[in-house]
Amino acid sequence: MPDDVVDDAERRWSYVVAAVVLFVFAAIILAGLHWAAQVPSNVEPIDASRLHLSGEFTEDNLGTEMQADGSAIVRVLAQQYSFVPGCIVVPSKTRVVFRATSPDVVHGFLVAGTNVNTMVVPGFVAQVGTRFDRPGEHVMPCHEYCSVGHEGMWARVQVVDREEFARSYGGQRRVSCVRK
Ligand code: CUA
């Protein structure tokens, strides 16, 4: 083959390669700007120093609250070194939204065997929605190292049949399975 044909082919390929490299760079830069400009999940600030005084995460407001639409909201405090309530009870076959926050340091929030897995960062409310199809029990360990008591920081989630839940806990304002 004559040299100039080879040179032309090489040049065309170098343009193609340059275009691919530029495209990839552009994609990286655009994606970086996009995700830097908006937060990856809900960011809901809350004053971590006043959780116990007023608002959503006071002690008597923690636990499971059934909503008018039949779903459940579970409010949880993650603190060194426990979850409050330490035993969470929810109905099966129901939309469940966990809302958690921390008064001290970063904790982890994980319900084993489900999609619920998030960090609990002081100053913010972490929110995760899920649904339990079957009754049963799930462990809920803290999975962010939060100092010396970290290993002992865990709770349980009891999933109770929907009808049984209504019979056992119906009419109560906030529900948990912590023994009093
Ligand atoms: Cu809380 Cu580790």
Side-chain angles (χ1 to χ4, degrees), residues 33-132:
L33 290 174
H34 176 77
W35 287 112
Q38 57 177 277
V39 291
S41 69
N42 78 308
V43 166
E44 201 186 316
I46 190 168
D47 183 349
S49 67
R50 308 183 63 78
L51 296 175
H52 57 300
L53 297 176
S54 64
E56 190 179 342
F57 291 91
T58 52
E59 193 174 0
D60 66 348
N61 204 39
L62 299 175
T64 305
E65 178 191 14
M66 295 311 293
Q67 305 296 298
D69 66 2
S71 68
I73 292 180
V74 183
R75 296 187 182 85
V76 183
L77 202 64
Q79 61 188 10
Q80 288 170 322
Y81 297 99
S82 63
F83 292 98
V84 185
C87 184
I88 291 163
V89 62
V90 292
S92 64
K93 298 186 171 63
T94 301
R95 168 142 178 96
V96 176
V97 174
F98 289 97
R99 286 173 60 75
T101 193
S102 164
D104 41 50
V105 299
V106 175
H107 298 279
F109 191 91
L110 167 86
V111 181
T114 74
N115 65 314
V116 179
N117 185 346
T118 187
M119 288 165 83
V120 183
V121 180
F124 297 94
V125 178
Q127 180 170 305
V128 190
T130 193
R131 186 186 162 90
F132 299 89

Side-chain angles (χ1 to χ4, degrees), residues 172 174-180:
Q172 291 184 34
R174 300 291 180 270
V175 174
S176 82
C177 43
V178 174
R179 284 201 210 95
K180 299 213 169 90

